[in-house]
Amino acid sequence: MSDRRRLERFLRTKLRKAGERYEAVRESTDGQLDEARDAYESARNARGLPTDEEDRVKIVCRRYAERRAATLDDQYRPACYEAGHPDCEGCAEDVREGRIETW
């Protein structure tokens, strides 16, 4: 009888660990999938912006309220982007979301 209890306890422990590992992998892949979707949407939105002959996007600068043709970096921020400035942060977010004012 004690062998049966030991076997049940062993199986229960192994199945619980397998379930915990499965849940951890599932959460990780869900997070990676969400990140990939966000990256795809940002790239699609940035690619859809109007450009000039030199392949620079035509945006209206939120900071100086003027038309600009700017290149985008790998994080879809305009070349004139200044980290920490609220207008520049908002502009970069608008480019990623596809709601930036263009000309």
Side-chain angles (χ1 to χ4, degrees):
M1 189 74 164
S2 68
D3 288 342
R4 183 176 178 173
R5 286 184 186 163
R6 285 177 43 195
L7 179 61
E8 287 175 1
R9 186 175 31 217
F10 173 78
L11 290 175
R12 192 177 306 120
T13 303
K14 292 298 180 182
L15 290 173
R16 184 177 293 125
K17 286 181 183 178
E20 290 170 356
R21 277 191 247 132
Y22 170 77
E23 184 64 26
V25 168
R26 189 172 141 243
E27 288 176 3
S28 173
T29 56
D30 286 349
Q32 291 173 354
L33 183 60
D34 289 340
E35 288 176 15
R37 283 183 182 142
D38 291 343
Y40 172 77
E41 185 175 337
S42 295
R44 185 185 65 189
N45 290 337
R47 190 183 66 218
L49 294 174
T51 58
D52 65 1
E53 306 80 37
E54 297 175 21
D55 214 24
R56 299 177 298 183
V57 295
K58 297 177 178 181
I59 60 173
V60 176
C61 177
R62 292 176 72 175
R63 187 172 184 181
Y64 297 106
E66 63 185 16
R67 293 179 177 183
R68 287 194 179 185
T71 57
L72 298 178
D73 66 7
D74 59 343
Q75 295 178 353
Y76 308 108
R77 297 179 303 202
C80 56
Y81 174 81
E82 183 180 317
H85 193 280
D87 288 335
C88 292
E89 296 288 342
C91 179
E93 181 181 327
D94 286 350
V95 168
R96 286 189 297 270
E97 297 295 323
R99 60 177 185 236
I100 188 80
E101 187 176 346
T102 60
W103 52 279

